[in-house]
Amino acid sequence: MADTRATFVSHKINKIRWRQQQKQSLQESDVFASGSWDDEQNKVCLWKVERQTAQSGEMDDGGGTGYVESDPVILCEAPHRGDVTGLEYMDQEHIVASSSTGTITIYKHHTNSQTLGVSQQWEKVHNHYGQLCPCTCLAIRDDVIVSSGEDGRVNIIQVGHKTPNRVIDKADSSTVNSITFLKQTEFITVNSTGQLKIFDLRTNSDEPTQTLSVTGELTPLQCIDKHPSQAHIVATGGQDGVLGMWDLRHDKFPVSLMEAHSGTVWEVRFHPSAPDHLFTCSEDGCVWHWDGSQVNATPIGMVAGINQITGTGAGSGGGNLSTPRQFQYGGNTAAAGLSNPWLATDIAKNKIEITSLLDQKSLPINTVDVAGHTLLCGTDGETIFTMNLGSLR
């Protein structure tokens, strides 16, 4: 079981993100950012976690390796107008936040004075028929920011420029809830009608290069994350509590769907260096750890119909796995990436271990992020949870 610490912070946490690990460094990041919502004065805060090497018997699992962590200590904070709807680190010093007011702000961490100040801001970049509307999400690749919102518009912003370099006015006819880069020039969105759309910045067209969805479903998708080393694999979380796995190379439909949480899945995150592990948080107050490290993937043949397998998820009496369609891969199956547990056969998926790390029940868990041995969670209970996961296989 993860060693869990709860820190009361006096405001609801909507987004939480680890600072990027320094290149060439073997040391885990010990600084993270949080963004609040539903307050008279929201804010972006930076926190630091002190770590000491654990001695034998100090870890909950009884092991002799790992870290003992202190409660997070606030380094600095800055006011933020509107709810923080998106939060991403650009580099070691700069954090980008999106707002329910339709504004995007870059904050700079001045390490010498331990202050957080506004570096650049783009106001009113999201509106609907002239009326301001929330910016719901953002993604960053180098010095390029892409944002989207309730207006269905996508802005491509170059840092240092005063206005967006490009605007895709009709990227979507519904609210875009989450966005992430797949490659240097490609990004993917999920929307409130259950669609995934891929856009390529190299083309002049405003149309998506690919659209995917669950057949016959209009259930909103709330979040998406890309596999850190295989960009064709993405995970999505839905308003219906379902976790979806998608292979963007082969079809317009998900590889598998897991009836997971009893409420909306607000965020899904692959572990950046151990991507056989995945984490979800939900409106139902739970955080789940999905461990696919024991799955032995085998080539997938054609399977008719929909197969269902009972899972082992704690907290809701088990999950239900549906594979709406599977694919006959041509060519070299090893090169096709079938060793990835998230693209495994139905039978192999029985080996995915699902553990409930946190069960608050009464209040939603809005956000999670993971790096190294530590998982962060932000809640409507005005609490930040830090969990030492120990060694991941």
Side-chain angles (χ1 to χ4, degrees):
M1 194 67 180
D3 176 25
T4 303
R5 290 177 177 269
T7 305
F8 183 71
V9 295
S10 301
H11 50 269
K12 298 178 181 178
I13 303 295
N14 201 38
K15 294 294 174 183
I16 200 163
R17 293 292 181 263
W18 279 113
R19 185 173 68 181
Q20 299 166 359
Q21 187 176 1
Q22 291 186 0
K23 293 181 180 179
Q24 312 298 322
S25 174
L26 298 177
Q27 188 174 3
E28 293 181 19
S29 178
D30 57 0
V31 173
F32 65 88
S34 68
S36 69
W37 82 289
D38 193 28
D39 208 340
E40 291 183 5
Q41 178 61 73
N42 290 296
K43 51 189 174 182
V44 172
C45 301
L46 298 189
W47 307 79
K48 185 177 178 65
V49 175
E50 298 289 347
R51 292 191 178 98
Q52 294 180 339
T53 303
Q55 302 300 317
S56 179
E58 288 184 342
M59 302 296 291
D60 277 3
D61 58 9
T65 61
Y67 295 102
V68 173
E69 297 176 331
S70 66
D71 290 336
V73 176
I74 192 163
L75 295 176
C76 51
E77 63 182 52
H80 182 87
R81 189 160 57 91
D83 299 336
V84 178
T85 58
L87 191 68
E88 299 292 340
Y89 266 94
M90 179 178 296
D91 53 37
Q92 290 286 305
E93 296 182 340
H94 295 89
I95 309 106
V96 185
S98 59
S99 172
S100 58
T101 64
T103 295
I104 297 169
T105 305
I106 300 179
Y107 295 93
K108 182 175 181 179
H109 180 202
H110 301 278
T111 53
N112 290 337
S113 60
Q114 286 299 351
T115 57
L116 196 61
V118 174
S119 174
Q120 190 172 2
Q121 193 169 68
W122 295 268
E123 295 185 342
K124 306 176 182 179
V125 290
H126 289 281
N127 61 82
H128 192 63
Y129 296 109
Q131 299 295 316
L132 293 181
C133 70
C135 175
T136 55
C137 53
L138 61 85
I140 300 170
R141 177 61 63 94
D142 297 329
D143 60 350
V144 175
I145 303 168
V146 293
S147 72
S148 195
E150 291 186 2
D151 53 2
R153 174 185 286 112
V154 170
N155 294 296
I156 296 94
I157 300 170
Q158 185 88 32
V159 176
H161 292 203
K162 293 183 178 180
T163 57
N165 289 44
R166 181 179 173 187
V167 177
I168 305 177
D169 269 316
K170 298 180 179 179
D172 213 304
S173 58
S174 63
T175 298
V176 176
N177 292 317
S178 187
I179 188 168
T180 192
F181 273 96
L182 296 173
K183 301 176 183 177
Q184 192 73 23
T185 59
E186 286 185 353
F187 62 88
I188 186 168
T189 65
V190 295
N191 68 16
S192 291
T193 59
Q195 294 178 316
L196 295 79
K197 295 184 179 182
I198 299 174
F199 294 86
D200 192 335
L201 295 177
R202 295 169 296 183
T203 68
N204 293 323
S205 172
D206 288 351
E207 296 298 317
T209 57
Q210 191 177 356
T211 301
L212 306 92
S213 63
V214 181
T215 306
E217 296 288 337
L218 293 176
T219 303
L221 294 175
Q222 294 292 343
C223 55
I224 186 168
D225 196 29
K226 172 185 71 75
H227 190 284
S229 61
Q230 299 185 54
H232 59 277
I233 300 173
V234 297
T236 59
Q239 185 174 294
D240 53 2
V242 169
L243 173 68
M245 286 294 168
W246 306 72
D247 185 342
L248 304 179
R249 302 169 301 177
H250 293 287
D251 213 277
K252 296 182 178 181
F253 310 104
V255 172
S256 61
L257 299 171
M258 175 70 86
E259 295 177 6
H261 294 274
S262 60
T264 300
V265 179
W266 288 122
E267 285 194 349
V268 54
R269 306 290 282 187
F270 285 101
H271 192 290
S273 58
D276 288 353
H277 299 264
L278 181 134
F279 301 87
T280 55
C281 66
S282 171
E283 181 75 17
D284 63 11
C286 295
V287 175
W288 282 15
H289 173 198
W290 306 71
D291 181 357
S293 61
Q294 297 303 302
V295 174
N296 242 341
T298 55
I300 301 175
M302 295 298 291
V303 179
I306 296 178
N307 299 306
Q308 295 185 331
I309 294 177
T310 300
T312 57
S316 68
N320 189 45
L321 179 69
S322 302
T323 302
R325 185 173 178 184
Q326 296 184 329
F327 320 108
Q328 180 69 52
Y329 293 101
N332 188 327
T333 56
L338 292 183
S339 61
N340 191 292
W342 308 115
L343 301 183
T345 62
D346 289 343
I347 296 174
K349 279 201 173 102
N350 271 327
K351 297 182 180 178
I352 292 179
E353 297 178 8
I354 307 168
T355 305
S356 180
L357 298 179
L358 193 64
D359 190 350
Q360 293 293 288
K361 295 188 184 301
S362 58
L363 292 170
I365 311 293
N366 300 318
T367 180
V368 292
D369 198 21
V370 62
H373 296 83
T374 310
L375 181 77
L376 299 171
C377 310
T379 79
D380 271 1
E382 303 186 353
T383 304
I384 291 175
F385 290 93
T386 55
M387 302 182 189
N388 191 321
L389 300 172
S391 298
L392 298 176
R393 293 188 294 267

